[in-house]
Amino acid sequence: GRPNFWITRKFGVPLTTFPFFKSKELWRTDSVSIHSGSALQVTSMLPLTEIREGDLYFCLEERTVRVCGQEIELTAKEFDIFALLILNPRRVFTYEMIMDIVWNEPYNAYSRKTIINHISNIRRKLKLHSEIPDYIKSVYGVGYKFDIPHTKE
């Protein structure tokens, strides 16, 4: 495959999350130790990548999204898109970038509709009630970004 820095060369933006989307392996290393006479123990070597923003909770390694404590069931691609956006807040991702990073496929005539449908599904699933902010913002004609809502004072 391509080296991890390919995305920087192609799009001119560094993405620390890039290897996550290209890898089929686990994102954190677990060490497994067997103690005589005891059950199998799995100990995490690295901390979890967690984001808490208001009522929203995100955990990359557990592939978990919760709103108001309720787990949100996202498909694999929906989660990957959401992870790309939330791990890079306020950064605009074009349709071409999303297609390349999440699907690892070139942009084509059907790509935009596919991405729009996935984003629509994510937004619908996250919006448990009207007070939940819209975390994913459209950048008209360009793509999408994760935007941290402004608190009303």
Side-chain angles (χ1 to χ4, degrees), residues 119-134:
I119 293 288
S120 175
N121 289 339
I122 296 167
R123 285 174 167 162
R124 179 181 44 78
K125 290 177 181 183
L126 293 177
K127 195 80 165 171
L128 295 180
H129 55 77
S130 62
E131 289 81 37
I132 301 294
D134 295 321

mmCIF file with all atom_site columns, all heavy atoms in Angstrom, residues 119-134:
data_model
loop_
_atom_site.group_PDB
_atom_site.id
_atom_site.type_symbol
_atom_site.label_atom_id
_atom_site.label_alt_id
_atom_site.label_comp_id
_atom_site.label_asym_id
_atom_site.label_entity_id
_atom_site.label_seq_id
_atom_site.pdbx_PDB_ins_code
_atom_site.Cartn_x
_atom_site.Cartn_y
_atom_site.Cartn_z
_atom_site.occupancy
_atom_site.B_iso_or_equiv
_atom_site.pdbx_formal_charge
_atom_site.auth_seq_id
_atom_site.auth_comp_id
_atom_site.auth_asym_id
_atom_site.auth_atom_id
_atom_site.pdbx_PDB_model_num
ATOM 1   N N   . ILE A 1 119 ? -23.589 10.633 5.581  1.00 0.00 ? 119 ILE A N   1
ATOM 2   C CA  . ILE A 1 119 ? -23.622 11.778 6.499  1.00 0.00 ? 119 ILE A CA  1
ATOM 3   C C   . ILE A 1 119 ? -25.049 12.005 7.002  1.00 0.00 ? 119 ILE A C   1
ATOM 4   O O   . ILE A 1 119 ? -25.273 12.252 8.194  1.00 0.00 ? 119 ILE A O   1
ATOM 5   C CB  . ILE A 1 119 ? -23.068 13.056 5.825  1.00 0.00 ? 119 ILE A CB  1
ATOM 6   C CG1 . ILE A 1 119 ? -21.576 12.918 5.527  1.00 0.00 ? 119 ILE A CG1 1
ATOM 7   C CG2 . ILE A 1 119 ? -23.377 14.300 6.657  1.00 0.00 ? 119 ILE A CG2 1
ATOM 8   C CD1 . ILE A 1 119 ? -20.668 12.963 6.732  1.00 0.00 ? 119 ILE A CD1 1
ATOM 9   N N   . SER A 1 120 ? -26.017 11.908 6.119  1.00 0.00 ? 120 SER A N   1
ATOM 10  C CA  . SER A 1 120 ? -27.417 12.069 6.498  1.00 0.00 ? 120 SER A CA  1
ATOM 11  C C   . SER A 1 120 ? -27.818 11.039 7.554  1.00 0.00 ? 120 SER A C   1
ATOM 12  O O   . SER A 1 120 ? -28.491 11.370 8.542  1.00 0.00 ? 120 SER A O   1
ATOM 13  C CB  . SER A 1 120 ? -28.303 11.949 5.258  1.00 0.00 ? 120 SER A CB  1
ATOM 14  O OG  . SER A 1 120 ? -29.654 11.995 5.614  1.00 0.00 ? 120 SER A OG  1
ATOM 15  N N   . ASN A 1 121 ? -27.390 9.801  7.363  1.00 0.00 ? 121 ASN A N   1
ATOM 16  C CA  . ASN A 1 121 ? -27.691 8.737  8.332  1.00 0.00 ? 121 ASN A CA  1
ATOM 17  C C   . ASN A 1 121 ? -27.035 9.018  9.683  1.00 0.00 ? 121 ASN A C   1
ATOM 18  O O   . ASN A 1 121 ? -27.655 8.823  10.736 1.00 0.00 ? 121 ASN A O   1
ATOM 19  C CB  . ASN A 1 121 ? -27.233 7.381  7.807  1.00 0.00 ? 121 ASN A CB  1
ATOM 20  C CG  . ASN A 1 121 ? -28.099 6.887  6.665  1.00 0.00 ? 121 ASN A CG  1
ATOM 21  O OD1 . ASN A 1 121 ? -29.233 7.317  6.495  1.00 0.00 ? 121 ASN A OD1 1
ATOM 22  N ND2 . ASN A 1 121 ? -27.555 6.000  5.853  1.00 0.00 ? 121 ASN A ND2 1
ATOM 23  N N   . ILE A 1 122 ? -25.786 9.468  9.661  1.00 0.00 ? 122 ILE A N   1
ATOM 24  C CA  . ILE A 1 122 ? -25.087 9.775  10.914 1.00 0.00 ? 122 ILE A CA  1
ATOM 25  C C   . ILE A 1 122 ? -25.812 10.890 11.655 1.00 0.00 ? 122 ILE A C   1
ATOM 26  O O   . ILE A 1 122 ? -26.071 10.789 12.861 1.00 0.00 ? 122 ILE A O   1
ATOM 27  C CB  . ILE A 1 122 ? -23.621 10.194 10.642 1.00 0.00 ? 122 ILE A CB  1
ATOM 28  C CG1 . ILE A 1 122 ? -22.839 9.036  10.019 1.00 0.00 ? 122 ILE A CG1 1
ATOM 29  C CG2 . ILE A 1 122 ? -22.951 10.660 11.932 1.00 0.00 ? 122 ILE A CG2 1
ATOM 30  C CD1 . ILE A 1 122 ? -21.489 9.448  9.432  1.00 0.00 ? 122 ILE A CD1 1
ATOM 31  N N   . ARG A 1 123 ? -26.143 11.950 10.942 1.00 0.00 ? 123 ARG A N   1
ATOM 32  C CA  . ARG A 1 123 ? -26.847 13.087 11.572 1.00 0.00 ? 123 ARG A CA  1
ATOM 33  C C   . ARG A 1 123 ? -28.162 12.652 12.194 1.00 0.00 ? 123 ARG A C   1
ATOM 34  O O   . ARG A 1 123 ? -28.502 13.040 13.312 1.00 0.00 ? 123 ARG A O   1
ATOM 35  C CB  . ARG A 1 123 ? -27.115 14.169 10.531 1.00 0.00 ? 123 ARG A CB  1
ATOM 36  C CG  . ARG A 1 123 ? -25.885 14.967 10.148 1.00 0.00 ? 123 ARG A CG  1
ATOM 37  C CD  . ARG A 1 123 ? -26.235 15.893 9.023  1.00 0.00 ? 123 ARG A CD  1
ATOM 38  N NE  . ARG A 1 123 ? -25.199 16.897 8.806  1.00 0.00 ? 123 ARG A NE  1
ATOM 39  C CZ  . ARG A 1 123 ? -25.084 17.595 7.691  1.00 0.00 ? 123 ARG A CZ  1
ATOM 40  N NH1 . ARG A 1 123 ? -25.927 17.402 6.684  1.00 0.00 ? 123 ARG A NH1 1
ATOM 41  N NH2 . ARG A 1 123 ? -24.127 18.493 7.569  1.00 0.00 ? 123 ARG A NH2 1
ATOM 42  N N   . ARG A 1 124 ? -28.916 11.843 11.455 1.00 0.00 ? 124 ARG A N   1
ATOM 43  C CA  . ARG A 1 124 ? -30.215 11.372 11.949 1.00 0.00 ? 124 ARG A CA  1
ATOM 44  C C   . ARG A 1 124 ? -30.037 10.536 13.218 1.00 0.00 ? 124 ARG A C   1
ATOM 45  O O   . ARG A 1 124 ? -30.776 10.689 14.190 1.00 0.00 ? 124 ARG A O   1
ATOM 46  C CB  . ARG A 1 124 ? -30.910 10.559 10.857 1.00 0.00 ? 124 ARG A CB  1
ATOM 47  C CG  . ARG A 1 124 ? -32.276 9.998  11.260 1.00 0.00 ? 124 ARG A CG  1
ATOM 48  C CD  . ARG A 1 124 ? -32.921 9.174  10.152 1.00 0.00 ? 124 ARG A CD  1
ATOM 49  N NE  . ARG A 1 124 ? -32.038 8.253  9.458  1.00 0.00 ? 124 ARG A NE  1
ATOM 50  C CZ  . ARG A 1 124 ? -31.645 7.069  9.939  1.00 0.00 ? 124 ARG A CZ  1
ATOM 51  N NH1 . ARG A 1 124 ? -32.056 6.658  11.124 1.00 0.00 ? 124 ARG A NH1 1
ATOM 52  N NH2 . ARG A 1 124 ? -30.844 6.296  9.235  1.00 0.00 ? 124 ARG A NH2 1
ATOM 53  N N   . LYS A 1 125 ? -29.044 9.669  13.237 1.00 0.00 ? 125 LYS A N   1
ATOM 54  C CA  . LYS A 1 125 ? -28.821 8.807  14.395 1.00 0.00 ? 125 LYS A CA  1
ATOM 55  C C   . LYS A 1 125 ? -28.346 9.593  15.616 1.00 0.00 ? 125 LYS A C   1
ATOM 56  O O   . LYS A 1 125 ? -28.691 9.243  16.752 1.00 0.00 ? 125 LYS A O   1
ATOM 57  C CB  . LYS A 1 125 ? -27.805 7.711  14.039 1.00 0.00 ? 125 LYS A CB  1
ATOM 58  C CG  . LYS A 1 125 ? -28.361 6.690  13.059 1.00 0.00 ? 125 LYS A CG  1
ATOM 59  C CD  . LYS A 1 125 ? -27.314 5.672  12.665 1.00 0.00 ? 125 LYS A CD  1
ATOM 60  C CE  . LYS A 1 125 ? -27.867 4.663  11.674 1.00 0.00 ? 125 LYS A CE  1
ATOM 61  N NZ  . LYS A 1 125 ? -26.880 3.625  11.328 1.00 0.00 ? 125 LYS A NZ  1
ATOM 62  N N   . LEU A 1 126 ? -27.561 10.633 15.406 1.00 0.00 ? 126 LEU A N   1
ATOM 63  C CA  . LEU A 1 126 ? -27.051 11.430 16.521 1.00 0.00 ? 126 LEU A CA  1
ATOM 64  C C   . LEU A 1 126 ? -28.106 12.348 17.119 1.00 0.00 ? 126 LEU A C   1
ATOM 65  O O   . LEU A 1 126 ? -28.018 12.725 18.284 1.00 0.00 ? 126 LEU A O   1
ATOM 66  C CB  . LEU A 1 126 ? -25.852 12.286 16.076 1.00 0.00 ? 126 LEU A CB  1
ATOM 67  C CG  . LEU A 1 126 ? -24.580 11.556 15.688 1.00 0.00 ? 126 LEU A CG  1
ATOM 68  C CD1 . LEU A 1 126 ? -23.534 12.551 15.206 1.00 0.00 ? 126 LEU A CD1 1
ATOM 69  C CD2 . LEU A 1 126 ? -24.035 10.727 16.838 1.00 0.00 ? 126 LEU A CD2 1
ATOM 70  N N   . LYS A 1 127 ? -29.107 12.706 16.341 1.00 0.00 ? 127 LYS A N   1
ATOM 71  C CA  . LYS A 1 127 ? -30.112 13.686 16.757 1.00 0.00 ? 127 LYS A CA  1
ATOM 72  C C   . LYS A 1 127 ? -31.246 12.991 17.514 1.00 0.00 ? 127 LYS A C   1
ATOM 73  O O   . LYS A 1 127 ? -32.351 12.815 17.008 1.00 0.00 ? 127 LYS A O   1
ATOM 74  C CB  . LYS A 1 127 ? -30.643 14.411 15.518 1.00 0.00 ? 127 LYS A CB  1
ATOM 75  C CG  . LYS A 1 127 ? -31.403 15.671 15.807 1.00 0.00 ? 127 LYS A CG  1
ATOM 76  C CD  . LYS A 1 127 ? -30.447 16.797 16.071 1.00 0.00 ? 127 LYS A CD  1
ATOM 77  C CE  . LYS A 1 127 ? -31.163 18.119 16.010 1.00 0.00 ? 127 LYS A CE  1
ATOM 78  N NZ  . LYS A 1 127 ? -30.328 19.203 16.452 1.00 0.00 ? 127 LYS A NZ  1
ATOM 79  N N   . LEU A 1 128 ? -30.975 12.612 18.761 1.00 0.00 ? 128 LEU A N   1
ATOM 80  C CA  . LEU A 1 128 ? -31.976 11.910 19.572 1.00 0.00 ? 128 LEU A CA  1
ATOM 81  C C   . LEU A 1 128 ? -33.142 12.814 19.936 1.00 0.00 ? 128 LEU A C   1
ATOM 82  O O   . LEU A 1 128 ? -34.257 12.346 20.102 1.00 0.00 ? 128 LEU A O   1
ATOM 83  C CB  . LEU A 1 128 ? -31.336 11.356 20.845 1.00 0.00 ? 128 LEU A CB  1
ATOM 84  C CG  . LEU A 1 128 ? -30.283 10.264 20.648 1.00 0.00 ? 128 LEU A CG  1
ATOM 85  C CD1 . LEU A 1 128 ? -29.748 9.816  21.994 1.00 0.00 ? 128 LEU A CD1 1
ATOM 86  C CD2 . LEU A 1 128 ? -30.854 9.096  19.871 1.00 0.00 ? 128 LEU A CD2 1
ATOM 87  N N   . HIS A 1 129 ? -32.879 14.093 20.111 1.00 0.00 ? 129 HIS A N   1
ATOM 88  C CA  . HIS A 1 129 ? -33.932 15.069 20.376 1.00 0.00 ? 129 HIS A CA  1
ATOM 89  C C   . HIS A 1 129 ? -33.472 16.432 19.882 1.00 0.00 ? 129 HIS A C   1
ATOM 90  O O   . HIS A 1 129 ? -32.311 16.629 19.545 1.00 0.00 ? 129 HIS A O   1
ATOM 91  C CB  . HIS A 1 129 ? -34.356 15.088 21.848 1.00 0.00 ? 129 HIS A CB  1
ATOM 92  C CG  . HIS A 1 129 ? -33.224 15.300 22.807 1.00 0.00 ? 129 HIS A CG  1
ATOM 93  N ND1 . HIS A 1 129 ? -32.651 16.527 23.037 1.00 0.00 ? 129 HIS A ND1 1
ATOM 94  C CD2 . HIS A 1 129 ? -32.552 14.414 23.588 1.00 0.00 ? 129 HIS A CD2 1
ATOM 95  C CE1 . HIS A 1 129 ? -31.685 16.406 23.929 1.00 0.00 ? 129 HIS A CE1 1
ATOM 96  N NE2 . HIS A 1 129 ? -31.603 15.128 24.278 1.00 0.00 ? 129 HIS A NE2 1
ATOM 97  N N   . SER A 1 130 ? -34.377 17.383 19.840 1.00 0.00 ? 130 SER A N   1
ATOM 98  C CA  . SER A 1 130 ? -34.118 18.673 19.194 1.00 0.00 ? 130 SER A CA  1
ATOM 99  C C   . SER A 1 130 ? -33.019 19.495 19.863 1.00 0.00 ? 130 SER A C   1
ATOM 100 O O   . SER A 1 130 ? -32.424 20.360 19.227 1.00 0.00 ? 130 SER A O   1
ATOM 101 C CB  . SER A 1 130 ? -35.408 19.493 19.113 1.00 0.00 ? 130 SER A CB  1
ATOM 102 O OG  . SER A 1 130 ? -35.886 19.749 20.416 1.00 0.00 ? 130 SER A OG  1
ATOM 103 N N   . GLU A 1 131 ? -32.725 19.239 21.141 1.00 0.00 ? 131 GLU A N   1
ATOM 104 C CA  . GLU A 1 131 ? -31.683 20.010 21.827 1.00 0.00 ? 131 GLU A CA  1
ATOM 105 C C   . GLU A 1 131 ? -30.272 19.556 21.472 1.00 0.00 ? 131 GLU A C   1
ATOM 106 O O   . GLU A 1 131 ? -29.306 20.235 21.779 1.00 0.00 ? 131 GLU A O   1
ATOM 107 C CB  . GLU A 1 131 ? -31.865 19.940 23.349 1.00 0.00 ? 131 GLU A CB  1
ATOM 108 C CG  . GLU A 1 131 ? -33.063 20.727 23.863 1.00 0.00 ? 131 GLU A CG  1
ATOM 109 C CD  . GLU A 1 131 ? -34.369 19.960 23.699 1.00 0.00 ? 131 GLU A CD  1
ATOM 110 O OE1 . GLU A 1 131 ? -34.369 18.724 23.874 1.00 0.00 ? 131 GLU A OE1 1
ATOM 111 O OE2 . GLU A 1 131 ? -35.387 20.602 23.382 1.00 0.00 ? 131 GLU A OE2 1
ATOM 112 N N   . ILE A 1 132 ? -30.145 18.399 20.846 1.00 0.00 ? 132 ILE A N   1
ATOM 113 C CA  . ILE A 1 132 ? -28.825 17.904 20.449 1.00 0.00 ? 132 ILE A CA  1
ATOM 114 C C   . ILE A 1 132 ? -28.330 18.761 19.286 1.00 0.00 ? 132 ILE A C   1
ATOM 115 O O   . ILE A 1 132 ? -29.021 18.916 18.282 1.00 0.00 ? 132 ILE A O   1
ATOM 116 C CB  . ILE A 1 132 ? -28.892 16.419 20.002 1.00 0.00 ? 132 ILE A CB  1
ATOM 117 C CG1 . ILE A 1 132 ? -29.421 15.525 21.133 1.00 0.00 ? 132 ILE A CG1 1
ATOM 118 C CG2 . ILE A 1 132 ? -27.534 15.932 19.513 1.00 0.00 ? 132 ILE A CG2 1
ATOM 119 C CD1 . ILE A 1 132 ? -28.540 15.418 22.332 1.00 0.00 ? 132 ILE A CD1 1
ATOM 120 N N   . PRO A 1 133 ? -27.120 19.325 19.405 1.00 0.00 ? 133 PRO A N   1
ATOM 121 C CA  . PRO A 1 133 ? -26.617 20.173 18.313 1.00 0.00 ? 133 PRO A CA  1
ATOM 122 C C   . PRO A 1 133 ? -26.260 19.361 17.070 1.00 0.00 ? 133 PRO A C   1
ATOM 123 O O   . PRO A 1 133 ? -26.084 18.151 17.136 1.00 0.00 ? 133 PRO A O   1
ATOM 124 C CB  . PRO A 1 133 ? -25.368 20.821 18.917 1.00 0.00 ? 133 PRO A CB  1
ATOM 125 C CG  . PRO A 1 133 ? -24.970 19.945 20.040 1.00 0.00 ? 133 PRO A CG  1
ATOM 126 C CD  . PRO A 1 133 ? -26.205 19.235 20.523 1.00 0.00 ? 133 PRO A CD  1
ATOM 127 N N   . ASP A 1 134 ? -26.163 20.053 15.955 1.00 0.00 ? 134 ASP A N   1
ATOM 128 C CA  . ASP A 1 134 ? -25.710 19.423 14.715 1.00 0.00 ? 134 ASP A CA  1
ATOM 129 C C   . ASP A 1 134 ? -24.184 19.480 14.716 1.00 0.00 ? 134 ASP A C   1
ATOM 130 O O   . ASP A 1 134 ? -23.598 20.545 14.507 1.00 0.00 ? 134 ASP A O   1
ATOM 131 C CB  . ASP A 1 134 ? -26.272 20.164 13.497 1.00 0.00 ? 134 ASP A CB  1
ATOM 132 C CG  . ASP A 1 134 ? -27.782 20.064 13.430 1.00 0.00 ? 134 ASP A CG  1
ATOM 133 O OD1 . ASP A 1 134 ? -28.309 18.988 13.747 1.00 0.00 ? 134 ASP A OD1 1
ATOM 134 O OD2 . ASP A 1 134 ? -28.424 21.066 13.071 1.00 0.00 ? 134 ASP A OD2 1
#
